[in-house]
Amino acid sequence: MHDLRWIRENPDAFDRGLVRRGLPARAEEILAIDREWRGLETEAQESQATRNRLSREIGAAKSRGEPIDELLRQVEGRKQAETATAAKAAELRQQIDELVATLPNLPAPDVPDGPDESANKEIRRHGEPPRFNFDPLPHEVIGEKLGLMDFPRAARLSGSRFVVLKGALARLERAIAQFMLDLHTGEFGYTEIAPPYLVRDEAVFGTGQLPKQAEDMFRTTDDTGGLWLIPTSEVPLTNLVAGEILDEAALPLRFTAWTPCFRSEAGAAGRDTRGMIRMHQFSKVELVSVTRSEDSQAEHERMTGCAEEVLKRLGLPYRVMLLSTGDMGFAAQKTYDLEVWLPAQDTYREISSCSNCGAFQAQRMKARYRPSGGKGTQPVHTLNGSGLAIGRTMIAIIENFQRHDGTVAIPEALQPYMGGQQVIAGNG
RNA sequence: GGAGGGGUGGCCGAGUGGUUGAAGGCGCACGCCUGGAGAGCGUGUAUACGGGCAACCGUAUCGCGGGUUCGAAUCCCGCUCCCUCCGCCA
């Protein structure tokens, strides 16, 4: 959510940000309603001040035993006009809020302009794509040949975009997640969280998936009014600080969680239909940081580094992309995607997305901190990143470490989590 | 699922219609006191919005939303969350 006062003071910068996002300028429209609202607001408040004063006088007169008829006459009729003014003001304010709530965060200055992912900028690469003396197979073929990845049965249970993993691959999912959690908690100072997977409207509004991306999520329909299945644990982790006023000394907060994620993939019909690239349900280790405003840029680099370290230790080749204005998510002001090499697709595919949301989410969820020394409060900055998506990590391992005989080597870093197993050879 | 109880400031805790944004206590900050510390004393200590260059002024907020009233933390209605007991249950 954008700070209305900031828009008032910086209407041009606001519009420039929207235009860079490929959206029309809106400042003039917003500020016109804002001017009208403020006029009515002031009017209503002044009227109320008068009425409050008269009411106090009535109380005082009554306690002295004096007549109050004259005072009652003065206050009479006042209420109606005031209520109408206040109602109109509230209506305008709601109009502003609803309009502003649909506008995405503004891109940071160093974000490249562009209509889509074609304008993304490669920042760096790490590792060399492996060379094979045979044609590398896609992960789903390897998994099915090993008898450890079952799409038909998953479809029978749940339809398309689901998978059943068995034996060593089921264990591999757990191993990957544990390895990531241990790294982030043990070496990078993140606190492990086990959050709810079902959340209310306010939480999803806070991180910005509502109101615009409702169709990308699943919602329960129980009689309590319905809850959203989290599309990412960014939602519960970030909303941990919703509505709070934090001590400056408590920052930064760093949270990590291993959770399932649920996405309807409504807009992705026909894309990535083979394999486990795009599932309705996948698991992910998420990283979330809550920082002071002046620290979020450095934290963004740090967080991206934490996610990269996972790929480095697994020996997976990847590149870091700085997303363009056209490819960034709603709440982000700047995003790095980590893309891992997938031999069968002969390309890099997204495996992590690390975003600095600045004050955008904080303002939506009213999360602030009290700067020590200074007065008042200011919104925290929030960041989130995958560290990493488990399913896609598994895909990358299977494809990059496949061998001519159809078996898959387990990266050394994961072997302790696989009971010392070094190779996945099928039948568990 | 059934029955009952309760949500007041950073915390505890008063308060059933009239200077109550809210007593009192704790905590915290600053000052005084002290050789220093403690005790003691004094002052201060919410958030949001509007107006103002500012000092400051105003409005709202006692779980949330609505209603009654000249006036609501206090009365009424709806919702929500928490707690206790019973039942059920991983």
Side-chain angles (χ1 to χ4, degrees), chain A residues 300-363:
Chain A
H300 191 205
E301 301 300 324
R302 182 188 191 275
M303 175 182 278
T304 306
C306 293
E308 285 183 66
E309 187 62 26
V310 175
L311 290 167
K312 286 178 184 169
R313 295 204 189 184
L314 293 176
L316 294 169
Y318 69 90
R319 63 181 187 178
V320 181
M321 305 296 288
L322 173 58
L323 297 197
S324 76
T325 52
D327 202 22
M328 277 201 305
F330 181 77
Q333 64 183 32
K334 181 176 176 180
T335 298
Y336 291 120
D337 269 10
L338 268 45
E339 297 183 342
V340 70
W341 178 255
L342 294 187
Q345 296 198 2
D346 197 34
T347 186
Y348 288 94
R349 288 300 301 260
E350 177 186 342
I351 195 168
S352 170
S353 193
C354 299
S355 297
N356 182 1
C357 297
F360 187 81
Q361 292 178 325
Q363 265 150 193

Side-chain angles (χ1 to χ4, degrees), chain A residues 204 209-210 213-219 228-229 231 262 264:
Chain A
V204 189
Q209 285 82 10
L210 281 186
Q213 284 125 267
E215 66 283 356
D216 297 331
M217 295 183 288
F218 291 108
R219 184 176 168 85
W228 299 95
L229 275 76
F262 304 92
S264 71

Side-chain angles (χ1 to χ4, degrees), chain A residues 28-295:
Chain A
E28 196 181 326
E29 176 188 354
I30 292 166
L31 292 181
I33 306 173
D34 179 55
R35 274 189 296 276
E36 195 185 344
W37 167 67
R38 281 193 289 168
L40 290 171
E41 182 74 6
T42 302
E43 193 183 322
Q45 286 186 4
E46 282 169 356
S47 170
Q48 195 139 28
T50 308
R51 195 162 53 79
N52 285 347
R53 183 173 52 72
L54 286 170
S55 287
R56 272 196 299 273
E57 283 175 23
I58 290 173
K62 242 181 146 179
S63 69
R64 287 194 303 264
E66 294 168 10
I68 56 172
D69 304 11
E70 176 56 28
L71 288 166
L72 281 176
R73 199 164 316 117
Q74 285 184 44
V75 93
E76 206 177 321
R78 226 187 153 83
K79 184 92 176 276
Q80 255 182 345
E82 184 186 308
T83 304
T85 306
K88 179 67 181 162
E91 193 184 305
L92 289 172
R93 177 66 209 209
Q94 193 186 344
Q95 227 176 46
I96 296 172
D97 288 344
E98 281 174 8
L99 201 167
V100 172
T102 64
L103 299 175
N105 203 350
L106 305 179
D110 55 339
V111 170
D113 287 14
D116 51 38
E117 68 273 8
S118 65
N120 295 350
K121 189 175 150 197
E122 184 173 319
I123 302 295
R124 58 183 170 270
R125 281 184 192 219
H126 186 272
E128 286 293 323
R131 291 211 186 81
F132 297 92
N133 52 16
F134 57 96
D135 280 343
L137 296 169
H139 67 277
E140 68 273 16
V141 173
I142 300 167
E144 289 185 308
K145 279 187 171 172
L146 287 168
L148 304 177
M149 197 181 283
D150 190 335
F151 291 97
R153 285 197 176 92
R156 203 165 69 206
L157 287 167
S158 308
S160 64
R161 296 203 191 280
F162 287 93
V163 66
V164 171
L165 300 178
K166 296 188 225 174
L169 282 189
R171 183 174 193 180
L172 185 62
E173 167 155 346
R174 181 160 52 92
I176 291 168
Q178 308 245 65
F179 161 69
M180 290 179 186
L181 286 173
D182 284 351
L183 177 66
H184 296 314
T185 58
E187 296 188 35
F188 297 139
Y190 286 84
T191 300
E192 184 170 351
I193 305 288
Y197 306 152
L198 290 163
V199 297
R200 348 173 100 191
D201 292 351
E202 299 87 271
V204 189
F205 178 86
T207 35
Q209 285 82 10
L210 281 186
K212 299 209 64 163
Q213 284 125 267
E215 66 283 356
D216 297 331
M217 295 183 288
F218 291 108
R219 184 176 168 85
T220 64
T221 55
D222 61 293
D223 53 13
T224 63
L227 293 168
W228 299 95
L229 275 76
I230 57 172
T232 157
S233 41
E234 166 199 347
V235 177
L237 293 186
T238 308
N239 276 285
L240 244 26
V241 296
E244 299 200 16
I245 301 175
L246 304 160
D247 284 337
E248 179 173 14
L251 302 176
L253 294 170
R254 297 190 175 108
F255 302 125
T256 184
W258 171 35
T259 72
C261 303
F262 304 92
R263 299 190 183 177
S264 71
E265 298 297 348
R271 286 173 58 193
D272 301 312
T273 49
R274 289 186 54 74
M276 323 178 17
I277 284 276
R278 195 176 295 277
M279 303 273 92
H280 284 311
Q281 174 192 318
F282 61 98
S283 90
K284 180 156 64 77
V285 168
E286 183 75 0
L287 304 172
V288 161
S289 295
V290 179
T291 74
R292 304 186 299 176
S293 48
E294 61 266 41
D295 296 333

